[in-house]
């Protein structure tokens, strides 16, 4: 069950190259803040996908804005015009680092990007359109904007830009008559994975009053979440009461509707500032016909392109088009040879850079399967690494070829790293050492086979633990001194191990189970020597038997216990398994076997002594990594031992260890009220509860 050390073989993983992207914080109602945020995003690779959220005076985050940030996968917060302390508080709520706008290119993770001109070679001779100087907010949101200084710098770059003479040029650039600056920031950038993305969706035409901030922010964020790789639905922003003056625009906009006839309507007109009558009027100007039909679906072979007249509806929930999980970056597959001491990773950049800048690298794939997403584990991979979702993230610089020394942690390494980070020190308990010895040699799944656990319990030699229990019970019953002495003589210091025949066990699985134990050398066969001289009955291993039985004690002639069919075969556990059973280790191993069966990519310690700050000493019956989560808990033979005090103590130990999941297990059924009590305590600590009992540890044959 333990992983090999040294060379672990050849593996493939993927590397994604992408820019560090941010979310911009502006004061609610701040048009200047919005304009400044767009100006910054327009100078950053991937800027079109960087959200902008408005923060109210109370410093809260609107649910829609929170969802936008989570879906966007940004790595930092840029404060545009909020008070510094408020911005830091919002960043804490989002779980991101915060930098002021003035330091965005110098501090934090967000500086690891580059200028759009360093990832694109534009063939546009007329220049990419941006907002007119001091133009309306809709122009800023639709095409992007630049400060005067940035505009002058862009003129000297390989990405030509221009400010249009009239607003209609921005409308036309959005439908393919030219192009906008902000869309150039998406060069060599997009998702490599998208889950839950609608097959094809209607084009979105957002209509706004020219300076309506809420509409402009909403459109910006909707477009920021649009699929760049897998989706092809156009999204454009148009001003109310201006389109009627744009000559031939109805014919030009029709090109965005010429798409496979897999959905209806062709367009959805949306606005927060224009009344429905205004949307219908604009639709007619664009030559659209209203429809009540709504459908989406793929067909094969793909249908012909849709033809005019094109259809529309108004004010549908277009946000549903962009609600999907995604991972960004241009990817390359990397072949590595994995060693426990570290591996050299080298690959050509899938992004072609034309100038200097920073990037993020995301490594993901099989080598990281099952690892807990903890900072201390990421730092095992590389001293500067962090987790970003299920990827290892590194901050670096634009290169043609990347070369790194990475350690791909084994689950064993990760398990001990996390445990060391949460304790002052730790060590295997007595049970843990024995359990570890069993795991190093055998698959514990045998313990879950029919009858195996039962015959081991019937064969193990009860020692001091059983003596203590019987003495305690006898005292509670008021037994006299003679009775206590008899118990002590029966159990105290008992040296001979228990042995039995198959017929001495109930059930029809016993014989098979005993033979399975012998095949694994957990038990041995033998005969019973019965001496009439000294009255002793003794187990004699089969290799030591002779044709004439001799008493191992007094040496007198004895007989082997027999029936009409011949000598009775006896079974006895080896000393190691006998001790493991006596100490109660078997339920630990059965629990580990059940967990491994559910998720083989796991690693466990079957019992540890824990030492926390302040001289706090605890123990855990199990600790490990299971399906990428850190798990610890308590395992009892009898569910009755899970009383309220025990549950509170066990969950508190798991909480001190910072686990994701607390485990409560028993080889017998755990009652519902016990489960509910544990669930209540776990919820108070913010920990998941996992319960395993007889149906999991000892499944019915």
């Amino acid at each position: 069950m333990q992983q090999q050390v040294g060379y672990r073989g050849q593996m493939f993983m993927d590397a994604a190259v992408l820019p560090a992207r941010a979310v911009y914080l502006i004061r609610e109602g701040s048009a200047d803040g919005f304009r400044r945020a767009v100006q910054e995003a327009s100078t950053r690779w991937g800027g079109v996908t960087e959200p902008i959220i408005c923060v109210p005076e109370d410093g809260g985050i609107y649910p829609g804005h929170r969802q936008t940030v989570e879906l966007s996968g940004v790595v930092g917060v840029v404060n545009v015009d909020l008070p510094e302390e408020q911005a830091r508080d919002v960043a804490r709520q989002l779980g991101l680092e915060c930098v002021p706008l003035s330091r965005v290119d110098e501090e934090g993770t967000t500086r690891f990007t580059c200028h759009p001109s360093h990832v694109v070679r534009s063939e546009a001779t007329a220049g990419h359109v941006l907002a007119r100087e001091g133009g309306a907010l809709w122009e800023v949101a639709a095409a992007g904007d630049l400060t005067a200084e940035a505009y002058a710098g862009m003129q000297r770059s390989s990405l030509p830009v221009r400010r249009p003479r009239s607003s209609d040029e921005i409308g036309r650039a959005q439908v393919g008559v030219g192009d906008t600056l902000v869309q150039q920031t998406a060069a060599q950038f997009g998702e490599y994975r998208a889950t839950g993305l609608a097959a094809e969706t209607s084009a979105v035409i957002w209509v706004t009053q020219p300076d309506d901030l809420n509409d402009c922010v909403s459109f910006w964020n909707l477009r920021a979440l649009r699929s760049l790789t897998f989706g092809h639905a156009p999204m454009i922003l148009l001003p109310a009461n201006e389109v009627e003056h744009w000559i031939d625009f109805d014919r030009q906009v029709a090109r965005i509707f010429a798409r496979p006839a897999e959905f209806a309507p062709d367009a959805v007109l949306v606005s927060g500032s224009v009344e429905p009558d205004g949307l219908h009027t604009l639709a007619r100007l664009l030559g659209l016909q209203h429809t009540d039909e709504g459908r989406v679906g793929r067909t094969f072979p793909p249908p012909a392109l849709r033809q005019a007249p094109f259809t529309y509806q108004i004010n549908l929930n277009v946000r549903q088009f962009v609600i999907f999980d995604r991972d960004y970056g241009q990817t390359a597959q990397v072949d590595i040879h994995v060693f426990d001491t570290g591996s050299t990773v080298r690959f050509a950049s899938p992004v072609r850079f034309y100038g200097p800048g920073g990037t993020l690298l995301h490594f993901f794939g099989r080598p990281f399967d099952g690892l807990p997403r903890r900072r201390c584990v990421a730092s095992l991979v590389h001293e500067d690494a962090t987790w970003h979702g299920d990827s290892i993230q590194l901050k670096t610089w634009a290169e043609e070829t990347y070369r790194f020394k990475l350690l791909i942690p084994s689950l064993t390494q990760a398990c001990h790293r996390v445990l060391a980070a949460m304790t002052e020190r730790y060590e295997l308990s007595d049970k843990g050492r024995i359990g570890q010895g069993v795991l190093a040699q055998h698959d514990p799944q045998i313990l879950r086979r029919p009858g195996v656990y039962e015959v081991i319990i019937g064969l193990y030699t009860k020692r001091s633990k059983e003596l203590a229990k019987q003495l305690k019970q006898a005292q509670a019953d008021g037994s006299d001194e003679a009775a206590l002495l008899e118990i002590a003589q029966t159990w105290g210091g008992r040296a001979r191990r228990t042995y039995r025949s198959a017929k001495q066990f109930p059930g029809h699985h016993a014989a098979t189970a005993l033979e399975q134990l012998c095949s694994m050398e957990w038990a041995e066969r033998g005969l019973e020597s019965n001496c009439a001289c000294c009255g002793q009955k003794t187990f004699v291993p089969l290799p030591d038997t002779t044709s004439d039985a001799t008493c191992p004690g007094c040496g007198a002639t004895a007989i082997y216990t027999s029936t009409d069919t011949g000598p009775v075969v006896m079974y006895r556990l080896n000393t190691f398994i006998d001790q493991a059973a006596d100490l109660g280790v078997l339920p630990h191993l059965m629990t580990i076997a059940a967990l491994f069966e559910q998720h083989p990519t796991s690693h466990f310690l079957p019992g540890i002594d824990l030492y926390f700050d302040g001289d706090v000493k605890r123990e855990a019956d199990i600790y490990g990594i299971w399906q990428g989560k850190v798990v610890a808990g308590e395992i009892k033979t009898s569910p009755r031992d899970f009383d309220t005090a025990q549950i509170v103590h066990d969950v508190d130990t798991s909480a001190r260890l910072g686990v994701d999941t607390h485990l409560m297990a028993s080889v017998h059924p755990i009652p519902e009220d016990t489960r509910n009590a544990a669930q209540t305590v776990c919820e108070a600590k913010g920990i998941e509860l996992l319960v395993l009992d007889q149906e999991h540890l000892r499944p019915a044959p």
Side-chain angles (χ1 to χ4, degrees):
M1 303 297 291
Q2 304 302 316
Q3 300 185 11
Q4 291 184 339
V5 298
Y7 179 62
R8 305 214 309 272
Q10 184 181 23
M11 295 186 187
F12 291 95
M13 67 178 180
D14 290 284
V17 179
L18 67 158
R21 296 170 304 118
V23 55
Y24 299 92
L25 305 183
I26 65 173
R27 288 185 295 105
E28 191 168 44
S30 175
D32 289 342
F34 175 74
R35 188 183 300 271
R36 186 66 190 90
V38 173
Q39 289 172 343
E40 184 62 35
S42 299
T43 65
R44 290 166 57 86
W45 180 27
V48 71
T49 66
E50 295 184 311
I52 301 171
I53 67 174
C54 302
V55 180
E57 288 187 10
D58 63 7
I61 303 174
Y62 295 121
H65 284 164
R66 183 183 293 275
Q67 184 185 47
T68 296
V69 173
E70 291 172 352
L71 289 172
S72 68
V74 295
V75 297
V77 165
V78 173
N79 177 26
V80 178
D81 61 0
L82 291 184
E84 184 178 346
E85 184 55 41
Q86 186 181 59
R88 284 199 296 263
D89 182 65
V90 173
R92 281 193 293 269
Q93 295 179 59
L94 295 172
L96 299 171
E97 62 182 7
C98 180
V99 297
L101 180 62
S102 60
R103 307 286 294 176
V104 66
D105 296 326
E106 303 167 20
E107 295 181 3
T109 303
T110 53
R111 75 181 190 275
F112 287 91
T113 185
C114 64
H115 195 274
S117 64
H118 296 172
V119 290
V120 63
R121 275 289 181 263
S122 176
E123 297 179 358
T125 57
H128 301 285
V129 173
L130 68 156
R132 293 178 294 175
E133 187 170 1
L137 288 185
W138 85 266
E139 299 180 21
V140 173
D145 196 14
L146 294 171
T147 64
E149 181 182 2
Y151 183 78
M154 194 79 85
Q155 296 298 83
R156 298 188 298 271
S157 76
S158 59
L159 185 62
V161 297
R162 66 182 179 88
R163 295 193 187 276
R165 292 185 297 271
S166 59
S167 64
D168 67 299
E169 293 186 59
I170 295 176
R172 299 179 202 278
Q174 293 181 85
V175 298
V177 184
D179 207 345
T180 63
L181 165 63
V182 73
Q183 200 56 42
Q184 295 304 302
T185 69
Q188 299 194 76
F189 182 64
E191 319 91 48
Y192 64 79
R193 181 192 66 85
T195 304
L197 175 66
E200 283 292 347
T201 59
S202 307
V204 175
I205 302 176
W206 201 295
V207 187
T208 180
Q209 297 298 338
D211 283 310
D212 189 274
L213 177 61
N214 289 334
D215 266 344
C216 290
V217 170
S218 296
F219 171 77
W220 178 277
N221 289 336
L222 182 75
R223 185 183 58 193
L225 296 178
R226 176 180 59 174
S227 172
L228 298 175
T229 304
F230 304 104
H232 306 286
M235 291 184 182
I236 64 174
L237 180 64
L238 298 177
N241 306 320
E242 291 188 30
V243 176
E244 60 190 278
H245 306 298
W246 296 356
I247 298 173
D248 207 27
F249 186 68
D250 57 335
R251 182 183 62 82
Q252 292 171 338
V253 79
R255 68 178 64 191
I256 71 173
F257 304 133
R259 302 162 61 207
E262 298 175 329
F263 55 89
D266 295 291
V268 178
L269 277 69
V270 183
S271 181
S273 61
V274 177
E275 295 296 325
D277 286 347
L279 297 179
H280 289 300
T281 298
L282 179 60
R284 287 193 293 271
L285 286 173
L286 300 179
L288 302 178
Q289 291 187 358
H290 188 266
T291 182
D292 292 324
E293 180 187 11
R295 61 180 175 81
V296 62
R298 288 192 181 279
T299 58
F300 187 83
L305 297 181
R306 294 182 68 84
Q307 302 294 321
F310 300 111
T311 59
Y312 79 96
Q313 293 184 31
I314 67 169
N315 290 333
L316 299 183
N317 177 20
V318 294
R319 190 171 175 82
Q320 64 181 315
F321 299 162
V322 297
I323 304 301
F324 62 93
D325 292 327
R326 80 286 307 276
D327 287 299
Y328 287 106
Q330 298 295 309
T331 62
Q333 191 172 74
V334 183
D335 177 9
I336 59 173
H337 292 273
V338 179
F339 296 87
D340 281 343
T341 55
S343 306
T344 298
V345 176
R346 180 185 175 93
F347 64 97
S349 173
V351 174
R352 185 175 182 183
F353 294 103
Y354 302 99
T359 70
L360 298 180
L361 295 183
H362 287 178
F363 295 102
F364 58 96
R366 181 190 161 205
F368 305 106
D369 288 350
L371 292 176
R373 278 32 179 169
R374 303 291 181 97
R375 180 62 182 268
C376 61
V377 176
S379 63
L380 266 179
V381 179
H382 189 280
E383 59 182 355
D384 297 322
T386 57
W387 287 103
H388 185 86
D390 290 327
S391 300
I392 284 289
Q393 176 175 283
L394 284 176
K395 297 172 285 190
T396 186
W397 307 106
E399 302 282 356
E400 290 185 3
T401 302
Y402 291 102
R403 187 178 188 277
F404 289 93
K405 181 71 175 291
L406 303 181
L407 171 66
I408 308 300
S410 67
L411 291 180
T412 302
Q413 290 171 310
C415 180
H416 287 283
R417 185 61 170 258
V418 177
L419 188 52
M422 300 304 298
T423 61
E424 190 174 84
R425 65 183 179 90
Y426 65 93
E427 60 189 12
L428 287 173
S429 63
D430 291 341
K431 293 181 181 180
R433 283 191 290 272
I434 292 176
Q436 197 81 322
V438 176
L439 291 174
Q441 301 177 38
H442 301 287
D443 184 347
Q445 292 293 347
I446 187 177
L447 295 169
R448 303 175 65 227
R449 295 176 185 172
V452 171
Y453 174 74
E454 288 77 9
V455 299
I456 291 179
I457 293 303
L459 280 178
Y460 87 88
T461 307
K462 301 171 180 62
R463 296 179 177 86
S464 55
K465 184 177 179 181
E466 183 65 23
L467 170 61
K469 290 175 65 175
Q470 291 204 17
L471 287 173
K472 184 177 180 180
Q473 184 62 48
Q475 286 180 323
D477 295 341
S479 301
D480 57 19
E481 185 176 349
L484 295 176
L485 180 60
E486 182 180 353
I487 293 173
Q489 289 175 337
T490 302
W491 296 109
R494 182 172 180 174
R496 289 188 297 177
R497 284 177 283 148
T498 301
Y499 60 88
R500 289 186 179 182
S501 68
K503 289 188 176 181
Q504 290 178 281
F505 293 93
H508 59 281
H509 295 295
T512 301
L514 288 165
E515 286 301 314
Q516 288 174 339
L517 292 177
C518 290
S519 68
M520 294 184 65
E521 298 184 351
W522 282 16
E524 60 181 337
R525 305 176 191 87
L527 302 178
E528 181 183 61
S529 168
N530 191 343
C531 181
C533 181
C534 66
Q536 294 294 312
K537 294 181 179 181
T538 308
F539 179 88
V540 181
L542 278 184
D544 297 339
T545 57
T546 60
S547 57
D548 297 321
T550 302
C551 176
C554 67
T557 300
I559 60 172
Y560 292 123
T561 301
S562 305
T563 64
D564 293 341
T565 58
V568 176
V569 177
M570 300 291 179
Y571 297 87
R572 184 175 69 176
L573 297 176
N574 70 32
T575 55
F576 187 50
I577 299 302
D578 188 62
Q579 184 182 19
D582 182 49
L583 290 177
V585 175
L586 299 188
H588 297 212
L589 302 180
M590 296 165 72
T591 301
I592 289 174
L595 292 170
F596 265 116
E597 183 178 67
Q598 295 180 25
H599 295 281
T601 307
S602 303
H603 178 81
F604 300 99
L605 300 176
I608 49 174
D609 291 330
L610 305 163
Y611 301 87
F612 299 98
D613 291 340
D615 296 326
V616 176
K617 182 179 182 300
R618 297 288 180 87
E619 66 170 334
D621 286 342
I622 186 172
Y623 178 91
I625 296 171
W626 181 66
Q627 60 173 343
K629 297 181 178 180
V630 180
V631 178
E634 188 74 9
I635 304 166
K636 300 288 188 185
T637 300
S638 172
R640 289 176 297 183
D641 293 336
F642 285 120
D643 57 24
T644 301
Q646 183 68 54
I647 291 172
V648 170
H649 178 272
D650 297 340
V651 175
D652 181 70
T653 300
S654 290
R656 288 174 181 269
L657 288 169
V659 304
D660 302 298
T661 303
H662 173 73
L663 173 68
M664 180 168 67
S666 174
V667 294
H668 298 291
I670 297 178
E672 192 66 27
D673 58 343
T674 303
R675 295 167 179 255
N676 292 338
Q679 183 65 46
T680 299
V681 178
C682 284
E683 287 178 356
K685 294 286 189 178
I687 300 174
E688 295 179 357
L689 174 66
L690 175 65
V691 178
L692 300 180
D693 61 5
Q694 180 174 322
E695 67 172 310
H696 308 97
L697 273 56
R698 300 158 63 193

